[in-house]
Amino acid sequence: MEQLPAALERAGNEESWTVADAISRVLKNSEELHSWRRLLLSACMKWLVAIYSSSKDESKQEVERSMLLRLEELLCVVEEVDPDDWCSLVKTGLKYRYRDETFLKVLNIAIQLLYKKESSLSQ
């Protein structure tokens, strides 16, 4: 479980997310669930940055779309991100996917969640 988030960050390792989902289900009523989701959120953002950087064309749209939806889901639950991960995702995403409708929708939702008054990022 400790090594899985690092494996999830690498592009081309989409199958590992099935294991992460299984762990999330097992931790459903556990105190560890929030910290696990924070790790998954960070790994998800790093995965997106890696895929955007490595395949500047939009050849893996379905895989990217499913990961963006996962990012949205995790953001809605966790509502906090590592500022470095966030900055990297926004910068890389806007550089390579500024025309991608799904990316822009998720980015808009993320901005609304993360920059509300109570958020630490809003400061």
Side-chain angles (χ1 to χ4, degrees):
M1 192 169 138
E2 294 85 28
Q3 297 170 356
L4 187 59
L8 295 172
E9 295 171 9
R10 292 188 299 261
N13 207 6
E14 295 81 29
E15 304 82 28
S16 296
W17 284 94
T18 307
V19 176
D21 291 338
I23 292 172
S24 295
R25 284 190 296 276
V26 169
L27 294 176
K28 187 175 181 180
N29 296 321
S30 169
E31 293 177 12
E32 296 177 57
L33 183 60
H34 186 73
S35 61
W36 174 247
R37 285 181 173 161
R38 286 186 68 193
L39 290 171
L40 291 181
L41 179 60
S42 178
C44 184
M45 288 192 288
K46 288 175 181 173
W47 185 94
L48 285 164
V49 168
I51 200 76
Y52 291 164
S53 298
S54 68
S55 81
K56 294 167 179 60
D57 63 338
E58 298 175 26
S59 60
K60 293 187 173 187
Q61 284 186 335
E62 277 309 308
V63 178
E64 288 179 21
R65 188 167 287 118
S66 69
M67 196 59 69
L68 283 166
L69 296 175
R70 180 183 301 275
L71 175 69
E72 179 182 348
E73 178 185 320
L74 287 167
L75 278 169
C76 289
V77 175
V78 177
E79 294 188 352
E80 58 184 290
V81 295
D82 178 83
D84 293 334
D85 291 343
W86 173 245
C87 183
S88 186
L89 175 67
V90 171
K91 181 180 173 184
T92 308
L94 288 174
K95 184 174 182 180
Y96 297 115
R97 298 297 188 269
Y98 62 92
R99 293 184 192 164
D100 184 301
E101 185 178 343
T102 307
F103 170 75
L104 294 174
K105 282 181 179 179
V106 172
L107 180 63
N108 184 34
I109 291 167
I111 289 170
Q112 290 176 18
L113 280 170
L114 297 174
Y115 289 95
K116 59 187 177 189
K117 285 188 178 183
E118 308 86 50
S119 171
S120 61
L121 278 179
S122 67
Q123 297 158 3

